Amino acid sequence: MTEARHDPFHDIARQRHAAELGLWVFLASELVFFGGLFVTYGLYRYAYPSAFEAAGAETAIWLGTINTAILLTSSATMAAAVWAGEAGHKRHVLIGLALTALLGLTFMGVKGVEYYKDISESLYPGAADFPVDMPGAQVFVGLYWAMTGVHAVHLSIGLVAVAITLWRVRAERFDWQNTALLHVLGLYWHLIDLIWIVLYPLLYLMGRSL
Amino acid sequence: MSGRETPARLWRRSALVWLALSLLLATTLGGAYLPIGVWKLPLALTIAAAKAGLVIAIFMGLGQAGGAARIAGLCGVLWVLLLLSLSMTDQTTRQQLPPGFGEDRAGQP
Amino acid sequence: MTDIAALPEPHPATPRPTRSYLGAGSDLRSWLLTTDHKRIAILYALTLTLFFFIGGAAATLIRIELITPAGDLVSADSYNKLFTLHGVIMVWFFLVPAIPTTFGNFILPMAVGASDVAFPRLNLLSWYLTVAGGLLALVSLLVGGVDTGWTFYTPYSTLYSNSYVTLAAAGVFVAGFGTIATGVNMIVTVHVLRARGMRWMRLPLFVWSIYATSIIMVLATPALAVALLMIVVDRLFGLSLFDPDQGGDPIIFQHVFWFYSHPAVYIMILPGMGVVTEIITCFARRRVFGYEAMVFAILGIAIFSFFVWGHHMFVSGQSAWASLVFSILSFVVAVPSAIKVFNWSATLYGGHITFEASMLYALGFLGLFTLGGLTGLFLASIPIDVHVHDTYFVVAHFHYIMVGAMVTAFFGGLHFWWPKVTGRHYSEPWARLAAILMFVGFNFTFFPQFILGYLGMPRRYHSYPPEFQIWHVLSSAGAVILALAYLVPLVYLTLSLRYGRRAGDNPWHASGLEWATTSPPPRDNFVIPPTVDTDPYAYHAAHEEPSERDESGGDHQSSRKDEMP
């Protein structure tokens, strides 16, 4: 295991503080990134409320809900891994990270099934038999693809990071207890969860009725 | 965090938050089918905010984060709201003109 | 903000080598894999110089084309690609990164008393991202070019343009990550790595300005990223997000785009303001007038810059009410800028002013920024903007800010910190000549464009009615002077590396921690981590009149009594 502290820091506490602050600043940046998509959604929804409801009713609500549950669960396991890291329980760090990675993979699998279903139901802009014939409906679906796609890219990056961290903790490649790395990884993972928490009602819950 | 938290305790804490999140998920899913018209979106977003609040406060440990980190996170949210609110001034009044604005234009080709 | 107590006692003083950062190896590997913020700053400086001259070459071609009313040198299509190349390269691969990544990287850690930035490896990654983005953009421009203008407006960029929009947008997107990473790095460095005693209100205003710039970088750049992303997915996957046929609204793209691109103007100018503050205080030998007001003006500009983007959209179909709101807010952002101009002037008042090259640049900045800022107020007012929108008036206005102010400040900083970076003096007479040439050439180039614009010459046209020719010829003649003026420093600065006199640690007798170490600085900046017990700009006590510059420092500064007013 290498030394936890590295230049330009004089002490490990300050180094931890820097890593955490840096990631929070990055999270603010990420929020604005997704914010641009949310705002685009909001402005279009104001312009085409009924088309957004009609097109929103076409998304696969059950797959979306299952995926929401999966992602919420993965946040819980990630949080446990981070807390275990702070308390020094290596085995539980590994369990938490492994569960998180597994749940993340499951999410991607379900998402893939959903995308397949969407395409087979012509739920993409420019499809020959697009199910909703209203101005703005294709924009909704365009946003659905853009938002979930960008989210999936973030999740994939998160998955790779979790897998690498899992291996590095297992092999004791870094001081997982004293550095902020686990915490920072957790923050990023929770951000992915947060984005999905907002995407879920916007993309799946609109226009539903019994 | 307290010095040596037992594994059982930390898993229990995480499970409790997970339970709350799952209940909120069930609520919002049910709420989507309620016949409440325009209130659907506010309801769904309020529940989403509650879920996000739980994740931020407990999972991300905003309480333990430094002041600067908290300000940074807050800024991210505020800036999205700023973008939304100022561009909404355009979107909500796109078809309107201030008094006296239209007359000059009317005569022009 | 001060959530960190004073720095604890540093590690017991292990004797560090005092060898300069340049001595840490000279092979390619020692540069390309370095994590030293000073070396990364130099990597950036070389890269940005290259991009500056590529963008400048495009501008030269544009100005040559415009000498005659007929579009005879290049076709209309090539002309579109030329000004797009000029805009894309200059905005994202010179102006935005220019000062934060060079002087910000080199000076800021030293100015706060740190041995490096908070995340040195991320810093290097930023450079690679900038280079990768720049290469992508260059490739797109070489294989066929982009004809959308630097603004990538939809639906032209998504539905109609058959040029290499996706590649160019991807380049800007990648470079954007570099910018965000730099912003995060600078913010955390200022928060966490200040030396003992370096309280927030003791930070030099250059540090404050880079800090504020970094806030804008972090919060605005993602909006650009997502705007470009929407274009790219639209082009690649046909998501038709802005397709009017499907109910798409191109104005929504403009909202997201300008939510970045107006604050980006302040990403460009705020660091310049910081540089100029350092120079003016040093060569007027005065404590800066109204330090606190300056700090709040910097932060005010950073925050208010996000409230005004709609003034780019007065004639785009944005609602008239929104235009009203944005017009009023745009006037508000002028207040902190004006505070800064007044404070610089008040700092000069009664100062003991000498006219070194960097001071000439700083004084030029003051005048050009004021002119650019005031014409900005014209454009913030809706009736005038409707009249001159998309004319050369706008072109002249933003070139006064971006070239007149920002590039001038960049050259000012380059001359001010050159002895610190290289340990050498450049030729002062040549430097002054270049500064004066640049000022003259700049005004010659861009002042006629105010008149052209007011007369009705639209921007982005490669041919025009003959009655505009005289102004275009004037402008192009000025551009020749300006181009020459930019080449002069390339010569004498390069020569100074070999033949320049040794500069000593503090040739300007400037305050600031970066001057407290050797020139060029050692790898870790300071042999002993510094502590700070005075306010910045301690050129004399607050109640004292500024006095004759102390020449006893024994450096090469010759007495310049003949130039005293």
Side-chain angles (χ1 to χ4, degrees):
Chain A
M1 195 186 295
T2 53
E3 197 203 353
R5 185 202 67 81
H6 54 76
D7 278 342
F9 299 97
H10 294 302
D11 58 304
I12 187 80
R14 196 162 287 259
Q15 182 181 315
R16 276 191 69 103
H17 175 75
E20 287 174 25
L21 177 60
L23 206 92
W24 275 101
V25 174
F26 176 69
L27 292 192
S29 194
E30 284 278 21
L31 277 180
V32 178
F33 182 81
F34 281 99
L37 289 168
F38 292 147
V39 168
T40 306
Y41 176 97
L43 296 176
Y44 275 129
R45 187 180 193 280
Y46 182 86
Y48 305 110
S50 45
F52 266 48
E53 297 212 338
E58 298 293 322
T59 53
I61 186 168
W62 288 110
L63 292 175
T65 308
I66 290 169
N67 254 350
T68 312
I70 290 173
L71 213 50
L72 290 175
T73 314
S74 78
S75 248
T77 56
M78 176 53 96
V82 174
W83 293 333
E86 279 161 3
H89 306 298
K90 183 175 172 185
R91 205 167 63 89
H92 293 270
V93 176
L94 295 177
I95 295 173
L97 287 179
L99 284 175
T100 307
L102 212 62
L103 287 162
L105 275 175
T106 316
F107 177 97
M108 293 296 278
V110 173
K111 195 75 225 162
V113 171
E114 188 186 341
Y115 279 156
Y116 179 77
K117 186 169 167 293
D118 293 335
I119 289 174
S120 59
E121 289 173 5
S122 296
L123 203 64
Y124 57 91
D129 44 357
F130 189 77
V132 187
D133 185 24
M134 294 165 91
Q138 298 213 7
V139 173
F140 173 88
V141 175
L143 280 169
Y144 159 82
W145 281 91
M147 288 166 136
T148 54
V150 173
H151 179 267
V153 170
H154 277 79
L155 190 78
S156 312
I157 296 170
L159 268 175
V160 172
V162 169
I164 293 174
T165 312
L166 181 65
W167 170 70
R168 291 183 67 202
V169 173
R170 224 179 96 86
E172 293 283 343
R173 297 295 282 254
F174 72 107
D175 185 343
W176 47 269
Q177 195 171 353
N178 290 315
T179 60
L181 205 138
L182 273 179
H183 183 52
V184 159
L185 178 70
L187 286 179
Y188 178 76
W189 192 268
H190 296 312
L191 176 87
I192 299 170
D193 191 22
L194 281 180
I195 299 296
W196 188 264
I197 286 174
V198 183
L199 286 184
Y200 169 65
L202 295 183
L203 299 178
Y204 294 96
L205 296 186
M206 295 298 108
R208 302 289 166 184
S209 56
L210 286 174
Chain B
M1 297 300 118
S2 49
R4 289 280 290 182
E5 201 176 15
T6 61
R9 264 186 64 108
L10 61 90
W11 280 104
R12 194 157 53 232
R13 184 147 50 107
S14 147
L16 277 175
V17 182
W18 175 81
L19 196 65
L21 287 171
S22 303
L23 286 176
L24 284 168
L25 174 61
T27 317
T28 195
L29 180 63
Y33 290 93
L34 289 179
I36 48 174
V38 293
W39 293 100
K40 253 183 200 176
L41 185 68
L43 175 73
L45 286 181
T46 310
I47 296 175
K51 285 197 274 186
L54 277 175
V55 172
I56 292 171
I58 302 176
F59 284 168
M60 298 173 87
L62 189 70
Q64 284 86 45
R70 279 186 248 181
I71 292 173
L74 186 68
C75 279
V77 177
L78 286 180
W79 257 244
V80 176
L81 293 179
L82 174 70
L83 174 58
L84 182 67
S85 54
L86 274 181
S87 45
M88 271 293 182
T89 62
D90 169 33
Q91 194 75 353
T92 54
T93 60
R94 190 65 71 74
Q95 306 304 325
Q96 303 169 22
L97 290 173
F101 222 82
E103 281 111 63
D104 290 334
R105 284 186 179 177
Q108 284 176 16
Chain C
M1 297 215 282
T2 47
D3 48 312
I4 269 290
L7 255 178
E9 204 63 45
H11 268 242
T14 42
R16 302 190 207 193
T18 50
R19 199 171 53 164
S20 104
Y21 75 101
L22 294 168
S26 56
D27 54 331
L28 208 55
R29 197 187 144 81
S30 76
W31 282 93
L32 293 183
L33 295 178
T34 182
T35 53
D36 182 346
H37 65 102
K38 299 179 287 297
R39 283 182 167 230
I40 294 170
I42 288 178
L43 289 176
Y44 263 118
L46 295 173
T47 317
L48 298 183
T49 306
L50 180 70
F51 283 123
F52 179 74
F53 281 103
I54 294 173
T60 310
L61 280 175
I62 291 171
R63 279 319 321 165
I64 294 174
E65 162 60 55
L66 290 172
I67 292 175
T68 55
D72 36 20
L73 180 70
V74 294
S75 67
D77 199 37
S78 314
Y79 186 81
N80 291 347
K81 288 174 176 169
L82 270 180
F83 71 66
T84 304
L85 185 153
H86 172 67
V88 168
I89 294 289
M90 284 303 202
V91 168
W92 285 299
F93 300 101
F94 182 72
L95 291 166
V96 164
I99 294 181
T101 61
T102 56
F103 306 130
N105 246 331
F106 200 102
I107 300 298
L108 184 136
M110 280 194 268
V112 301
S115 65
D116 208 322
V117 292
F119 310 114
R121 280 181 298 176
L122 182 69
N123 201 15
L124 183 65
L125 179 67
S126 306
W127 179 71
Y128 277 106
L129 287 172
T130 308
V131 170
L135 287 180
L136 277 177
L138 271 185
V139 165
S140 77
L141 301 165
L142 289 177
V143 293
V146 182
D147 60 355
T148 60
W150 75 280
T151 45
F152 295 112
Y153 266 16
T154 55
Y156 183 71
S157 61
T158 49
L159 295 178
Y160 301 108
S161 174
N162 51 9
S163 56
Y164 293 82
V165 177
T166 306
L167 207 53
V172 175
F173 186 87
V174 170
F177 281 106
T179 308
I180 294 173
T182 302
V184 172
N185 227 332
M186 295 296 160
I187 290 175
V188 177
T189 304
V190 174
H191 270 270
V192 179
L193 286 174
R194 280 168 291 133
R196 276 200 297 166
M198 182 59 96
R199 297 196 295 258
W200 281 93
M201 282 300 167
R202 280 181 179 165
L203 288 174
L205 289 170
F206 174 68
V207 174
W208 270 113
S209 71
I210 295 288
Y211 178 74
T213 306
S214 304
I215 292 175
I216 308 180
M217 284 175 164
V218 164
L219 291 173
T221 314
L224 169 75
V226 79
L228 295 174
L229 185 86
M230 288 194 278
I231 289 181
V232 169
V233 295
D234 210 319
R235 284 183 75 90
L236 291 182
F237 307 114
L239 292 193
S240 66
L241 295 176
F242 302 107
D243 181 357
D245 268 354
Q246 300 300 334
D249 181 357
I251 295 179
I252 291 177
F253 168 81
Q254 295 182 23
H255 277 302
V256 180
F257 177 81
W258 286 112
F259 186 73
Y260 161 79
S261 288
H262 192 76
V265 174
Y266 294 90
I267 294 180
M268 302 173 203
I269 195 66
L270 268 173
M273 293 172 160
V275 169
V276 162
T277 311
E278 301 300 308
I279 298 173
I280 285 182
T281 49
C282 174
F283 295 108
R285 313 307 302 165
R286 291 214 57 186
R287 193 179 288 267
V288 69
F289 183 88
Y291 174 84
E292 285 86 359
M294 289 294 241
V295 171
F296 289 117
I298 289 171
L299 293 175
I301 288 172
I303 290 166
F304 272 109
S305 67
F306 283 95
F307 285 73
V308 301
W309 79 83
H311 67 218
H312 294 271
M313 300 161 60
F314 285 161
V315 301
S316 72
Q318 173 180 251
S319 99
W321 285 109
S323 295
L324 265 179
V325 171
F326 280 118
S327 175
I328 295 165
L329 289 170
S330 303
F331 281 102
V332 173
V333 80
V335 175
S337 307
I339 289 175
K340 294 188 71 70
V341 173
F342 288 133
N343 282 4
W344 288 318
S345 312
T347 307
L348 287 170
Y349 178 76
H352 187 104
I353 301 171
T354 52
F355 295 96
E356 280 81 358
S358 39
M359 184 61 159
L360 291 179
Y361 284 112
L363 294 174
F365 170 96
L366 257 186
L368 299 177
F369 174 73
T370 306
L371 206 58
L374 285 176
T375 49
L377 287 181
F378 290 22
L379 295 171
S381 134
I382 298 172
I384 301 179
D385 185 73
V386 170
H387 177 53
V388 298
H389 193 90
D390 269 343
T391 70
Y392 269 77
F393 192 89
V394 178
V395 175
H397 154 70
F398 70 72
H399 279 89
Y400 263 76
I401 296 292
M402 290 177 188
V403 186
M406 154 53 208
V407 177
T408 302
F410 178 80
F411 275 97
L414 188 63
H415 288 79
F416 185 58
W417 282 307
W418 186 263
K420 176 52 63 183
V421 175
T422 64
R424 303 278 191 163
H425 268 297
Y426 45 82
S427 156
E428 188 68 35
W430 278 101
R432 288 186 207 185
L433 178 73
I436 292 165
L437 266 185
M438 230 177 262
F439 184 80
V440 172
F442 173 80
N443 280 295
F444 218 142
T445 311
F446 290 102
F447 199 85
Q449 298 188 2
F450 278 127
I451 299 164
L452 261 180
Y454 205 77
L455 293 175
M457 168 84 201
R459 66 193 284 200
R460 295 181 169 177
Y461 275 58
H462 89 312
S463 62
Y464 53 86
E467 60 260 40
F468 294 137
Q469 188 176 12
I470 175 69
W471 304 108
H472 273 302
V473 169
L474 277 177
S475 182
S476 294
V480 173
I481 304 177
L482 193 57
L484 284 178
Y486 285 140
L487 291 172
V488 177
L490 211 56
V491 177
Y492 66 76
L493 287 178
T494 312
L495 287 178
S496 80
L497 290 177
R498 189 169 174 83
Y499 304 107
R501 286 174 292 120
R502 297 271 170 200
D505 293 348
N506 189 0
W508 317 122
H509 303 280
S511 72
L513 282 179
E514 76 266 27
W515 299 103
T517 184
T518 49
S519 307
R523 167 64 185 88
D524 289 328
N525 297 341
F526 302 98
V527 179
I528 304 158
T531 52
V532 181
D533 50 13
T534 52
D535 288 341
Y537 309 113
Y539 289 105
H540 58 84
H543 59 277
E544 281 173 23
E545 279 298 301
S547 55
E548 186 93 5
R549 179 176 313 186
D550 179 16
E551 300 292 351
S552 61
D555 272 300
H556 310 279
Q557 206 59 46
S558 61
S559 182
R560 298 229 165 74
K561 287 196 174 58
D562 48 324
E563 288 165 13
M564 306 283 156

